[in-house]
């Protein structure tokens, strides 16, 4: 029997897990024993084999190469133009004559192989700093080739306060993929966050242009200088003036105590409801400490005989109250009790002589 033709796989790029099937067509029916094979040379610098899989008793034999990790040929595979019996036999079905093993090149210059998975070659993180609420922390993973992203893969971050995730935000179709975490309230890490060195696909995919899944592990970048302060300063107490009746020119000082040092810009104030109307205790001092002083000075015609009422939210009045990492302070507080604080700004007048 002689080989009349060999049919190669359709031109294209074959990826991990895909098969290259070759059909060897004989002049008559042949019987196969063992596992004959076709020898294929790849750019990877060595030979691989398409093993016989079916066709005994017929005139068409099928040989298959399954693409496994590491195989690559970008210039077109090359076939050795003779079947390697590999200890087997190909005989005609009628008389048992040994078959001819040589064949003409079927043309495989456009049959390409990509069995190499993309891999992460480098990982970089945002600059060392302390990140506050709403700040972005970005991580860039550089891959060995262009990759396409579907879904929202993510990176796992261990903080002192718990596990959070940096979600994929950009880079599909390139070799540099950006993941981002946005700091939220109550996040905290004082000794450097820890980045898990394996991408969490989170039901998404990261693949090469030929559909090979990327490897997911990477060497962690240095993150010992990436600190997080997502703790807002809160008001722990408010101390009101002593119970008394306050006259024109006298001061009512309120001390607002925070659980952390705060910095003040501008002139925040406390709103006070009197019988005669609303007045304000303006910020006086305390920036860069945990205790802020607000002062109201009684003016003429201001009056309250039932006990002043304090609005339990600081009025920023265009100002800011932040911690050292620029987190905005919470502004609400519990009523300190002002029912026995009175205001008498009414001067006696002569009603008649």
């Amino acid at each position: 029997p002689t080989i009349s033709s060999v049919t190669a796989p359709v031109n294209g790029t074959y990826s991990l897990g895909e098969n290259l099937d070759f059909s060897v067509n004989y002049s008559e029916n042949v019987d196969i024993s063992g596992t004959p094979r076709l020898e294929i040379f790849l750019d990877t610098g060595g030979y691989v084999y398409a093993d016989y899989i079916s066709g005994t008793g017929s005139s068409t034999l099928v040989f298959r190469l399954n693409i496994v990790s590491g195989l690559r040929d970008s210039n077109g595979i090359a076939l050795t133009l003779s079947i390697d019996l590999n200890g087997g036999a190909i005989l005609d079905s009628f008389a048992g004559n040994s078959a001819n093993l040589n064949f003409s090149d079927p043309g495989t210059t456009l049959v390409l192989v990509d069995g190499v998975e993309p891999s992460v070659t480098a990982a970089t993180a945002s600059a060392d700093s302390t990140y506050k609420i709403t700040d972005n922390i970005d991580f860039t993973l550089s891959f060995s080739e262009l990759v396409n992203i579907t879904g929202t893969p993510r990176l796992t971050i261990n903080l002192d306060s718990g596990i959070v995730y940096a979600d994929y935000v950009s880079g599909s179709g390139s070799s540099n993929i950006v993941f981002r975490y946005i700091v939220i309230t109550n996040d905290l890490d004082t000794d450097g966050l820890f980045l898990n060195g394996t991408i969490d696909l989170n039901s998404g995919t990261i693949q090469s242009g030929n559909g090979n899944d990327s490897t997911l592990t990477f060497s962690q970048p240095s993150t010992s200088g990436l600190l997080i302060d997502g703790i807002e300063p809160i008001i722990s107490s408010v101390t009101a003036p002593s119970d008394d009746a306050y006259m024109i020119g006298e001061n009512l000082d309120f001390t607002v105590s925070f659980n952390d040092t705060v910095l003040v810009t501008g002139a925040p104030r406390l709103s006070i409801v009197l019988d005669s109307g609303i007045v304000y205790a303006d910020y006086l001092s305390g920036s860069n400490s945990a205790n802020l002083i607000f002062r109201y000075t009684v003016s003429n015609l201001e009056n309250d005989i039932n006990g002043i009422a304090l609005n339990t939210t600081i009025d920023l009045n265009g100002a800011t109250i932040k911690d050292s990492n620029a987190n905005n302070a919470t502004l609400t507080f519990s009523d300190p009790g002002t029912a026995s604080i009175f205001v008498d700004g009414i001067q006696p007048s002569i009603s008649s002589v």
Side-chain angles (χ1 to χ4, degrees):
T2 59
I3 297 174
S4 56
S5 66
V6 173
T7 304
V10 174
N11 292 340
T13 300
Y14 293 80
S15 303
L16 277 170
E18 293 187 314
N19 297 321
L20 277 69
D21 285 353
F22 301 84
S23 295
V24 177
N25 301 301
Y26 270 93
S27 57
E28 59 182 289
N29 292 346
V30 291
D31 294 327
I32 308 299
S33 64
T35 310
R37 60 190 185 179
L38 301 181
E39 189 175 63
I40 305 169
F41 184 77
L42 303 180
D43 286 348
T44 45
Y47 288 95
V48 294
Y49 296 92
D51 294 322
Y52 163 75
I53 59 168
S54 67
T56 189
S58 76
S59 62
T60 300
L61 307 182
V62 179
F63 296 78
R64 174 171 291 171
L65 169 66
N66 177 256
I67 307 303
V68 296
S69 180
L71 299 184
R72 173 171 281 175
D73 194 296
S74 56
N75 299 306
I77 65 173
L79 279 175
T80 298
L81 302 179
S82 179
I83 297 174
D84 175 6
L85 287 177
N86 189 33
I90 304 176
L91 307 174
D92 72 28
S93 299
F94 180 70
N97 295 313
S98 295
N100 189 292
L101 303 178
N102 299 320
F103 55 89
S104 299
D105 189 344
T108 56
T109 56
L110 296 179
V111 178
L112 312 178
V113 172
D114 180 7
V116 177
E117 307 103 322
S119 61
V120 180
T121 57
T124 58
S126 290
D128 289 352
S129 185
T130 298
Y131 291 82
K132 67 181 186 302
I133 297 168
T134 73
D135 281 349
N136 297 330
I137 303 176
D138 287 351
F139 303 90
T140 301
L141 299 188
S142 298
F143 286 79
S144 56
E145 59 182 292
L146 305 185
V147 291
N148 297 316
I149 310 296
T150 65
T152 310
R154 60 190 185 178
L155 305 180
T156 304
I157 304 170
N158 290 77
L159 306 180
D160 294 345
S161 54
I163 293 174
V164 296
Y165 298 95
D167 292 324
Y168 161 74
V169 292
S170 66
S172 183
S174 77
S175 59
N176 294 309
I177 307 301
V178 179
F179 298 80
R180 174 170 293 164
Y181 178 65
I182 302 173
V183 179
I184 62 173
T185 301
N186 293 326
D187 285 345
L188 182 67
D189 198 288
T190 60
D191 55 2
L193 62 82
F194 177 78
L195 189 63
N196 187 303
T198 301
I199 301 169
D200 176 3
L201 285 178
N202 190 32
S203 299
T205 64
I206 303 176
Q207 297 180 326
S208 70
N210 293 316
N212 291 325
D213 291 324
S214 174
T215 59
L216 302 177
T217 58
F218 58 91
S219 297
Q220 294 125 308
S222 174
T223 55
S224 59
L226 285 175
L227 311 179
I228 292 181
D229 178 7
I231 306 300
E232 298 171 322
I234 62 173
I235 297 171
S236 52
S237 66
V238 173
T239 304
S242 301
D243 292 347
D244 204 348
Y246 290 82
M247 310 302 179
I248 295 172
E250 292 188 317
N251 296 324
L252 283 74
D253 286 353
F254 300 84
T255 300
V256 178
S257 298
F258 288 84
N259 67 339
D260 192 4
T261 298
V262 292
L263 303 171
V264 179
T265 63
R269 60 191 183 179
L270 303 180
S271 175
I272 304 169
V273 181
L274 306 181
D275 294 343
S276 56
I278 295 175
V279 295
Y280 296 96
D282 293 319
Y283 165 71
L284 179 68
S285 64
S287 183
N288 203 28
S289 78
N291 298 305
L292 305 184
I293 308 298
F294 294 80
R295 174 170 289 174
Y296 159 61
T297 302
V298 178
S299 296
N300 187 37
L301 300 181
E302 293 171 348
N303 188 60
D304 195 290
I305 61 174
N306 298 302
I308 66 173
L310 195 61
N311 188 314
T312 55
T313 301
I314 297 174
D315 176 4
L316 284 177
N317 189 33
T320 64
I321 303 174
K322 301 174 181 283
D323 67 15
S324 59
N325 291 315
N327 289 315
N328 290 312
T330 57
L331 302 175
T332 57
F333 55 87
S334 299
D335 189 339
T338 56
S340 296
I341 299 175
F342 308 103
V343 170
D344 182 2
I346 306 299
Q347 294 177 315
S349 60
I350 298 173
S351 55
S352 64
V353 176

